[in-house]
Amino acid sequence: MITFLSGGTGTPKLIRGMRQVLDDDQISVVVNTGEDIWVSGNHISPDLDTVMYLFSGVLDTDTWWGLRGDTFTTHEMLKDLSPEEFIAIGDRDRAVHIARADLLRRGCSLTEATVRLCRLFGVRASVLPMTDARVTTRVKTSAGSIHFQEFWVKNRGAGEVMGVEWYPQDPPPASREVLDAIRECEAVVIGPSNPITSILPILRCRGVREALSEQYVVGISPFIGDAPVSGPAGALMTAEGYPPNSIGTAGVYSDLLDLFIQDVRDTVNLPGTVRLDTLMVDEQKSRALAAAVLRLIRKRGGKNEGGI
Amino acid sequence: MITFLSGGTGTPKLIRGMRQVLDDDQISVVVNTGEDIWVSGNHISPDLDTVMYLFSGVLDTDTWWGLRGDTFTTHEMLKDLSPEEFIAIGDRDRAVHIARADLLRRGCSLTEATVRLCRLFGVRASVLPMTDARVTTRVKTSAGSIHFQEFWVKNRGAGEVMGVEWYPQDPPPASREVLDAIRECEAVVIGPSNPITSILPILRCRGVREALSEQYVVGISPFIGDAPVSGPAGALMTAEGYPPNSIGTAGVYSDLLDLFIQDVRDTVNLPGTVRLDTLMVDEQKSRALAAAVLRLIRKRGGKNEGGI
């Protein structure tokens, strides 16, 4: 069993490759839920959906969100009727949000709701929201503190980023299932996701750092040089006081890493890391990286070999 | 100005005809909201939607609910994911429900939300929910008390009907706009809707009977013989102790009527009524009935002439 810590784009690309070399039932994914948002009465969990759709084979792998071939009939009408409709949601994607919201309103935990939906989608991997508590990642901008989705989707990442904060402030407890998945696996892979808004929300969950400290942890930098492969990681890293590169990424994960992987092209030199091609432009590249990561995990001598 | 009291099928057919002989801005419609239901976080108001879509020219006049040519992508997926999805809701129809729910969640009254939506749909008539309070028509069956929509849509009207009840029990106040529309019009038309679940919920609203007692009121029976033209009115009338025919209908409206119209085919004899062709099988028939009703209203000598 390999357990991933995942956001919504970079790590799912690696998981896509891992599915080619490992059976789905040997993969657990702890998923960031800090970007979850209730819109128009329904529960959107962007990263959970991407991971669930990926395992179900229905993910739109051009955009890395939503269902392949979905239509947007309700959204097209609703954006003229309601100012709340700022996220493009497909019609079938919306059905999933509504179903999850129904389960949550009926008292299911997010973990239980995810198990139910994954079963309906034929997912055999273990997809685990990082916490059952509601926690929201907010971006502090010159115009005030706004929901991450509002910053990234509505405002398209525009405006000066002054930092990140979580609401509520107190770290939520990781679910029991998450802690079990971290403890009872061969290794944990922190995929090439945004360190600040995808991975840090998971690391903040109570119990996660402790569990990781006793586990073999592989990290993969989402940066090549001073730019992330995708998404707003650069501005967010800078605002939080980390250099927007592999050194900063290693700083966020601090003492958790046993093995750190940088891209072969990365101009930032960090001693003790392993260099691999991390630019997963297609499924073959994903598979190659995943196979290399799995080989490194299985060849390891012990804790900290190859670490930084 | 003519003010209608309306449910979701029979009276809208008459209004469709009235639109051919009277400008939309000369029509007010007080609409039953007892069948409103929150499903999956969104607010469905079947009768309000039908009337709004009718005036907007987008109503599906084959089914008399929903938008013409709508798709059902979300519904088709959701009915496999959630037991709550028991009503077929079109994708564009759902956008309207979501937009209304957003407005209500932001503190708009149902009247204000309806004004906003009607403006967006280009509706010039005055479409008025009977009350801004939340009131639900429930059907007492041998299996317990259930929401009208559950009885009629989910269970397809099956099972023994033992009566009707409203929740909350205390009659809600009619909105100020409803009372004004009843007081400040030429006449009120109680259309051929279900007396028990479409019209009685309106008559129960505090202030409505008093306002109607000072107004010229025309009623149109929804029965021809012992059968309603459409819908579950028969069983509901019987359960509430009224004969399921025009006599029973007149009984429900009791002393409010100045003029009562029965179908020319109706085998039930009620003295003092006017006989017209009320079977509105197409737009021409609707227009003919509406024109005849308007002529009767405008030829009236005074209160109670032609009444029962």
Side-chain angles (χ1 to χ4, degrees):
Chain A
M1 177 75 76
I2 300 290
T3 295
F4 288 86
L5 310 191
S6 182
T9 309
T11 307
K13 285 183 179 173
L14 180 60
I15 294 169
R16 185 194 202 188
M18 193 62 83
R19 298 184 69 209
Q20 312 264 333
V21 293
L22 210 57
D23 194 82
D24 279 359
D25 65 12
Q26 294 302 305
I27 303 175
S28 289
V29 188
V30 177
V31 184
N32 169 42
T33 58
E35 297 170 23
D36 289 13
I37 187 168
W38 286 81
V39 176
S40 301
N42 300 314
H43 184 264
I44 304 180
S45 186
D47 296 351
L48 268 184
D49 284 339
T50 290
V51 172
M52 181 171 75
Y53 296 158
L54 172 68
F55 281 109
S56 182
V58 296
L59 179 68
D60 183 333
T61 49
D62 292 330
T63 59
W64 288 84
W65 59 266
L67 292 123
R68 194 170 49 240
D70 208 354
T71 51
F72 291 82
T73 314
T74 301
H75 172 72
E76 285 303 316
M77 179 129 177
L78 189 51
K79 67 187 173 58
D80 295 332
L81 296 177
S82 176
E84 287 204 20
E85 183 72 2
F86 67 83
I87 302 178
I89 298 164
D91 295 321
R92 288 189 293 140
D93 200 13
R94 191 183 299 275
V96 175
H97 303 161
I98 293 173
R100 184 166 48 225
D102 283 343
L103 290 167
L104 295 174
R105 271 189 290 262
R106 282 207 295 271
C108 277
S109 70
L110 184 56
T111 300
E112 290 163 348
T114 305
V115 165
R116 294 270 284 271
L117 287 172
C118 279
R119 196 179 305 141
L120 289 164
F121 272 88
V123 171
R124 291 183 303 112
S126 180
V127 179
L128 302 168
M130 65 187 194
T131 178
D132 284 323
R134 192 165 163 177
V135 58
T136 303
T137 302
R138 298 183 66 87
V139 178
K140 291 183 278 185
T141 72
S142 43
S145 168
I146 56 178
H147 192 288
F148 178 83
Q149 292 293 331
E150 196 176 345
F151 164 70
W152 185 236
V153 180
K154 189 176 190 178
N155 300 349
R156 296 163 190 265
E160 192 194 349
V161 176
M162 292 150 71
V164 170
E165 62 184 356
W166 283 277
Y167 184 83
Q169 283 189 321
D170 286 343
S175 73
R176 184 183 52 75
E177 292 81 353
V178 162
L179 297 181
D180 287 349
I182 291 174
R183 289 191 194 110
E184 295 161 15
C185 65
E186 213 174 326
V188 173
V189 177
I190 303 179
S193 288
N194 182 329
I196 301 297
T197 54
S198 294
I199 303 301
L200 201 47
I202 302 174
L203 299 181
R204 283 180 79 238
C205 291
R206 294 203 308 271
V208 167
R209 280 190 177 270
E210 293 74 4
L212 286 172
S213 69
E214 295 174 10
Q215 185 50 277
Y216 188 79
V217 179
V218 180
I220 297 157
S221 176
F223 286 93
I224 298 179
D226 290 332
V229 171
S230 67
L236 292 164
M237 293 280 283
T238 303
E240 286 293 298
Y242 296 98
N245 57 30
S246 292
I247 291 175
T249 302
V252 176
Y253 306 152
S254 59
D255 54 346
L256 296 170
L257 296 175
D258 295 290
L259 180 68
F260 193 47
I261 295 167
Q262 286 184 270
D263 190 79
V264 287
R265 303 161 194 82
D266 196 345
T267 51
V268 173
N269 263 320
L270 202 58
T273 66
V274 171
R275 296 287 189 144
L276 291 171
D277 184 353
T278 68
L279 205 57
M280 294 173 281
V281 291
D282 58 32
E283 198 164 356
Q284 282 65 41
K285 290 280 190 183
S286 291
R287 182 197 169 116
L289 179 59
V293 169
L294 193 61
R295 267 196 307 276
L296 285 166
I297 288 170
R298 293 191 167 166
K299 274 171 59 182
R300 75 178 184 267
K303 180 99 179 152
N304 289 327
E305 191 209 6
I308 56 174
Chain B
M1 177 76 77
I2 301 291
T3 295
F4 288 86
L5 309 191
S6 182
T9 309
T11 307
K13 286 183 179 173
L14 180 59
I15 295 169
R16 185 195 203 189
M18 193 62 83
R19 297 183 70 209
Q20 313 263 334
V21 293
L22 210 57
D23 194 85
D24 279 0
D25 65 11
Q26 294 302 305
I27 303 175
S28 289
V29 189
V30 177
V31 185
N32 169 42
T33 59
E35 296 169 24
D36 289 14
I37 188 168
W38 285 82
V39 176
S40 301
N42 299 313
H43 185 264
I44 303 180
S45 186
D47 296 351
L48 267 185
D49 284 339
T50 291
V51 172
M52 182 172 73
Y53 297 159
L54 173 68
F55 281 109
S56 181
V58 295
L59 180 68
D60 183 332
T61 48
D62 292 330
T63 59
W64 287 84
W65 59 266
L67 292 122
R68 194 171 48 241
D70 209 354
T71 52
F72 291 82
T73 314
T74 301
H75 173 72
E76 285 303 317
M77 178 129 178
L78 189 50
K79 68 186 172 60
D80 295 332
L81 297 177
S82 177
E84 288 204 20
E85 183 72 1
F86 67 84
I87 302 178
I89 297 164
D91 295 322
R92 289 189 293 140
D93 200 13
R94 191 182 298 276
V96 175
H97 303 161
I98 292 173
R100 184 168 46 226
D102 283 344
L103 290 168
L104 295 174
R105 272 190 290 262
R106 282 207 296 271
C108 277
S109 70
L110 184 57
T111 301
E112 290 163 348
T114 306
V115 166
R116 293 270 284 270
L117 288 172
C118 280
R119 196 180 304 141
L120 289 163
F121 272 88
V123 171
R124 291 183 303 111
S126 180
V127 179
L128 301 167
M130 65 186 194
T131 178
D132 285 322
R134 192 164 162 177
V135 58
T136 303
T137 302
R138 299 184 66 88
V139 179
K140 292 182 279 184
T141 73
S142 44
S145 168
I146 56 178
H147 192 288
F148 178 84
Q149 292 292 330
E150 195 175 345
F151 164 72
W152 184 237
V153 180
K154 189 176 190 176
N155 300 350
R156 295 162 191 265
E160 192 194 349
V161 176
M162 291 150 72
V164 170
E165 62 185 355
W166 284 277
Y167 185 85
Q169 283 188 320
D170 286 341
S175 73
R176 184 183 52 75
E177 291 83 351
V178 161
L179 297 180
D180 287 349
I182 292 173
R183 289 190 193 111
E184 295 162 15
C185 65
E186 214 175 324
V188 173
V189 177
I190 302 179
S193 288
N194 183 328
I196 300 298
T197 54
S198 294
I199 303 300
L200 202 47
I202 302 174
L203 299 181
R204 283 180 80 239
C205 291
R206 294 204 306 273
V208 166
R209 279 190 178 270
E210 294 74 4
L212 286 172
S213 69
E214 295 174 10
Q215 185 49 278
Y216 189 78
V217 180
V218 180
I220 297 157
S221 176
F223 286 93
I224 298 179
D226 289 332
V229 171
S230 67
L236 293 164
M237 293 280 282
T238 302
E240 286 293 297
Y242 296 98
N245 57 29
S246 293
I247 291 174
T249 302
V252 176
Y253 306 154
S254 60
D255 55 347
L256 297 171
L257 296 175
D258 296 291
L259 179 69
F260 193 48
I261 295 166
Q262 286 184 269
D263 190 78
V264 286
R265 302 160 195 82
D266 196 344
T267 51
V268 173
N269 263 321
L270 202 58
T273 66
V274 172
R275 296 286 190 147
L276 291 171
D277 184 354
T278 68
L279 206 57
M280 294 173 281
V281 291
D282 57 32
E283 198 165 357
Q284 282 64 42
K285 291 280 190 184
S286 291
R287 183 198 168 116
L289 179 60
V293 168
L294 193 60
R295 266 197 306 276
L296 286 165
I297 288 169
R298 293 189 168 168
K299 274 170 58 182
R300 75 180 185 266
K303 178 98 181 157
N304 289 326
E305 192 209 6
I308 54 172

